[in-house]
Amino acid sequence: MKQAAIRQEISESNLYMKVCYTKTELTQEIARLRRETPALEGATPTLGFVPTMGALHQGHLSLLWRARRENDIAVASIFVNPIQFNNPNDLKTYPRNLEADLKLLEPLELDLVFAPTAEVMYPAGAPIEHYDFGALEQVMEGKNRPGHFNGVGVVVGRLFKLINPDKAYFGEKDYQQIAVIQELVRQLQLPIQIVPCPIVREDDGLALSSRNLLLSDENRALAPNIYRILKESVALAQGGATVLEVKTWVEAEIGAVPGMALEYFEMADGVSLQPVARWEGATHVVGCIVVQLGGVRLIDNIRYR
Ligand code: AMP
């Protein structure tokens, strides 16, 4: 179906929430909501915001339910942000289905969904901001996906400035991203509280991800090995294994699963994201992993202490 026809169908459906496609519509609607929504607590209504790239699943919905529960106004965005993809094939194959997403959102009774096109977010000729996230972007996702965090910073920064949320909700599945967003908010001096939310998993342990849709049946059956190995590695650490022993063990175990290629596994400080070499003196350690499986990039993490 053509974009215009999809929009027509959406606007004729009985959706509680308003869907905006342009910045003008969005800012007008936000102003109206702020004016007309009664505040449950305090003098002014609070606005909770969840940015997503669509192909929504229960992981996204957990963030959205929380934003709905904790705020007078709840807003989501659905936008596959081209400038955060360093791999053109990943961008091309990324699942997109706005109609199905909006259907899934219906029971949440959000106030507003912003679903811009790339032309709306990136008007031709307008310069792209450049952020410096320092050491945070020199490891893991930042190191392996050049330009990725700048792309994330640009889109989230623009969305924050348009929407002005009081709180914004992010999943701990993208652990490093939360640290980058906290730094973004600090640099832009925006009064937004960043709320980290726990990872939602399938019953078999696989972290929910839009990219899981791209796994073949065979690889879908293998994918839960990632979380199994992470969990077993925590038990290993609790049993006295050193950081290096845990790291080496995870690398070997992932390597032993047919078709799995380890992109990285890092034991990182939970705040600075820098590599941790020993347990002594480390109070917050997170093991962050990316595995390639049949051309699909799977990300996960687990906390050791
Ligand atoms: P994405 O659409 O992948 O950009 O994700 C949008 C938001 O949903 C990000 O803050 C993600 O970290 C979060 N998210 C994605 N998958 C999960 C999950 N399985 N559990 C919790 N949060 C998630």
Side-chain angles (χ1 to χ4, degrees), residues 272-291:
S272 72
L273 277 307
Q274 302 310 298
V276 165
R278 56 190 66 80
W279 301 120
E280 293 74 42
T283 52
H284 186 172
V285 180
V286 182
C288 298
I289 194 164
V290 168
V291 170

Side-chain angles (χ1 to χ4, degrees), residues 51-53 57 59-60 63 94 170-171 173-174 177 198-200 208:
T52 81
M53 297 206 298
H57 50 64
H60 298 112
L63 274 54
Y94 199 86
F170 290 85
K173 180 168 77 92
D174 302 287
Q177 175 171 276
I199 303 176
V200 177
L208 264 59

Side-chain angles (χ1 to χ4, degrees), residues 17-20 26-27 29-31 33-34 37 46-52 60 63-69 71-78 105 108-116 159-160 162-169:
M17 63 197 175
K18 173 119 178 124
V19 185
C20 295
L26 172 71
T27 47
E29 189 57 22
I30 296 274
L33 285 165
R34 284 223 179 254
T37 308
T46 65
L47 192 155
F49 172 50
V50 181
T52 81
H60 298 112
L63 274 54
L64 286 156
W65 277 116
R66 189 155 170 200
R68 176 67 290 173
R69 246 192 346 264
N71 299 277
D72 303 298
I73 304 166
V75 177
S77 65
I78 297 179
L105 291 178
L108 280 86
E109 301 197 346
L110 301 178
D111 295 285
L112 168 61
V113 176
F114 182 44
L159 290 167
F160 278 178
L162 286 166
I163 294 168
N164 281 311
D166 300 281
K167 290 184 182 181
Y169 298 77

Side-chain angles (χ1 to χ4, degrees), residues 11-27:
S11 73
E12 282 167 7
S13 70
N14 250 342
L15 282 175
Y16 172 91
M17 63 197 175
K18 173 119 178 124
V19 185
C20 295
Y21 302 96
T22 67
K23 288 184 202 165
T24 316
E25 275 179 285
L26 172 71
T27 47

Side-chain angles (χ1 to χ4, degrees), residues 6 39 48 56 64 76 82 89 93 119-120 124 127 173 181 190 226 228 231 233 249-250 258 265 291:
I6 292 175
L56 299 179
L64 286 156
N89 196 48
T93 57
E119 292 69 34
V120 166
K173 180 168 77 92
I181 299 294
L190 297 172
I226 299 171
R228 175 188 61 77
K231 265 197 318 193
S233 78
W249 184 82
V250 169
F265 174 64
V291 170

Side-chain angles (χ1 to χ4, degrees), residues 36-289:
E36 293 178 7
T37 308
L40 287 180
E41 287 170 37
T44 49
T46 65
L47 192 155
F49 172 50
V50 181
T52 81
M53 297 206 298
L56 299 179
H57 50 64
Q58 293 300 323
H60 298 112
L61 296 192
S62 70
L63 274 54
L64 286 156
W65 277 116
R66 189 155 170 200
R68 176 67 290 173
R69 246 192 346 264
E70 296 182 353
N71 299 277
D72 303 298
I73 304 166
V75 177
S77 65
I78 297 179
F79 176 59
V80 181
N81 177 31
I83 69 163
Q84 75 182 66
F85 284 78
N86 58 317
N87 175 343
N89 196 48
D90 191 20
L91 174 61
K92 201 170 124 214
T93 57
Y94 199 86
R96 295 165 171 87
N97 192 341
L98 183 59
E99 273 175 296
D101 285 345
L102 295 176
K103 241 212 125 55
L104 212 57
L105 291 178
E106 260 177 73
L108 280 86
E109 301 197 346
L110 301 178
D111 295 285
L112 168 61
V113 176
F114 182 44
T117 58
E119 292 69 34
V120 166
M121 287 312 290
Y122 302 113
I128 301 283
E129 304 86 307
H130 180 79
Y131 290 104
D132 180 356
F133 297 118
L136 280 179
E137 63 179 339
Q138 275 144 34
V139 292
M140 303 191 288
E141 290 301 274
K143 186 168 150 197
N144 280 259
R145 303 180 72 187
H148 169 67
F149 281 132
N150 199 62
V152 170
V154 169
V155 79
V156 174
R158 289 185 182 189
L159 290 167
F160 278 178
K161 286 180 191 169
L162 286 166
I163 294 168
N164 281 311
D166 300 281
K167 290 184 182 181
Y169 298 77
F170 290 85
E172 284 177 341
K173 180 168 77 92
D174 302 287
Y175 193 86
Q176 193 177 3
Q177 175 171 276
I178 298 182
V180 168
I181 299 294
Q182 273 159 342
E183 176 60 18
L184 174 79
V185 163
R186 200 190 62 77
Q187 288 185 15
L188 295 175
Q189 301 191 318
L190 297 172
I192 302 173
Q193 184 191 338
I194 304 303
V195 184
C197 303
I199 303 176
V200 177
R201 300 181 178 281
E202 301 281 4
D203 289 343
D204 59 18
L206 177 64
L208 264 59
S209 164
S210 306
R211 289 188 180 88
N212 293 353
L213 292 169
L214 304 172
L215 291 168
S216 66
D217 289 350
E218 194 182 331
N219 286 336
R220 174 63 189 81
L222 290 169
N225 279 298
I226 299 171
Y227 186 54
R228 175 188 61 77
I229 293 166
L230 289 180
K231 265 197 318 193
E232 287 179 23
S233 78
V234 170
L236 217 62
Q238 282 162 351
T242 65
V243 169
L244 183 61
E245 281 164 352
V246 169
K247 197 165 185 291
T248 313
W249 184 82
V250 169
E251 285 165 0
E253 287 289 308
I254 292 286
V257 179
M260 272 193 191
L262 184 67
E263 196 175 299
Y264 66 77
F265 174 64
E266 290 290 348
M267 302 290 271
D269 179 273
V271 177
S272 72
L273 277 307
Q274 302 310 298
V276 165
R278 56 190 66 80
W279 301 120
E280 293 74 42
T283 52
H284 186 172
V285 180
V286 182
C288 298
I289 194 164

